Amino acid sequence: MTVKLEDRPIEQVREEVIDKLIYHYSHGVISAEAFERRLDAAMARQSHQEIVDLASDLTMNVDDQFNNRKQQQFSINYASSDIPETETMINVLGGSNRTGMWEVPKEIKVLCLMGGADIDFSDAIFTSSNVTIKALCVMGGIDIKVPENVNVVTKAFCFMGGLDNKAPSIANRQAPTITIEGFVMMGGVDVGLKRTIKEKFVAFANQMKSAFSSNQR
């Protein structure tokens, strides 16, 4: 039985259209300018039909290779590990960072006294679906970058300071949840995306285009 277009979940329709845009761009059917213009529209439109119309002239079907590459690109990295469950970052009049493909423990304790810490989860390998950051910031701060497909919960108490959470909220049960607890005084904690979802789509599209061009040689 075919479900009416307007009765389908709009985000599912949007994802299918964006997949077609990326696929046809990677195969050289549409230009980079047309791809970004249509991508912007697909992300902004709130009408099922308007979204579908953006790919109505694109006739190729997305294949398994595309779906496999997309799964690898957009999935959170999970792995079992024997690393300690707790890691401590102490920053006094200085700074430290965690970035790249590092293994994330269940708990991260961060002390920033007139110092700062950068924690980047964008390419991190999660060993648990629940991660707690216990922060103590006094005249210091923490800058946290997360991928777009994680949940971030903030519970920190702020006195003459602030916690700015710009991470998107999603309802994926398999996505990890990062909970930020602690105390912030005369300092701040900033949570945001390293790349916007559009930037990630464009980067993936360019990777697919390069891969397809290489296969044609």
Side-chain angles (χ1 to χ4, degrees), residues 27-216:
H27 283 69
V29 177
I30 57 176
S31 67
E33 294 77 11
F35 166 64
E36 288 210 39
R37 183 180 68 251
R38 295 191 192 197
L39 177 61
D40 286 336
M43 296 177 65
R45 301 281 170 82
Q46 296 301 319
S47 162
H48 290 69
Q49 190 61 56
E50 288 180 357
I51 294 172
V52 169
D53 288 344
L54 292 168
S56 61
D57 58 337
L58 305 179
T59 57
M60 293 190 297
N61 294 318
V62 173
D63 57 23
D64 290 338
Q65 183 182 22
F66 175 91
N67 289 327
N68 291 336
R69 284 181 174 268
K70 179 186 174 186
Q71 181 70 19
Q72 294 172 2
Q73 182 74 16
F74 288 86
S75 294
I76 291 293
N77 295 321
Y78 276 109
S80 58
S81 177
D82 58 357
I83 64 170
E85 293 191 354
T86 301
E87 178 177 343
T88 301
M89 301 173 67
I90 299 176
N91 307 281
V92 180
L93 295 171
S96 63
N97 68 79
R98 293 291 183 274
T99 188
M101 295 187 68
W102 60 290
E103 294 183 329
V104 182
K106 290 183 179 180
E107 182 179 88
I108 304 172
K109 296 179 179 179
V110 187
L111 168 64
C112 292
L113 177 60
M114 300 180 69
D118 294 323
I119 305 176
D120 187 353
F121 292 98
S122 301
D123 298 309
I125 300 171
F126 287 82
T127 60
S128 171
S129 59
N130 293 286
V131 178
T132 301
I133 298 177
K134 294 186 176 180
L136 175 58
C137 297
V138 180
M139 301 178 68
I142 306 173
D143 185 22
I144 300 171
K145 297 300 183 198
V146 298
E148 70 284 341
N149 46 351
V150 302
N151 295 301
V152 178
V153 179
T154 55
K155 299 180 179 180
F157 175 75
C158 301
F159 176 73
M160 297 180 68
L163 197 160
D164 187 14
N165 180 12
K166 295 179 181 176
S169 177
I170 61 175
N172 188 340
R173 292 182 180 179
Q174 295 181 341
T177 296
I178 300 173
T179 302
I180 303 171
E181 304 175 348
F183 178 69
V184 180
M185 184 174 72
M186 300 179 69
V189 177
D190 293 319
V191 184
L193 297 174
K194 186 173 183 177
R195 295 187 295 183
T196 65
I197 186 62
K198 178 190 172 181
E199 289 172 336
K200 195 157 188 178
F201 281 140
V202 171
F204 174 60
N206 286 325
Q207 289 176 15
M208 289 296 299
K209 186 175 180 66
S210 296
F212 180 74
S213 298
S214 298
N215 291 337
Q216 296 302 302

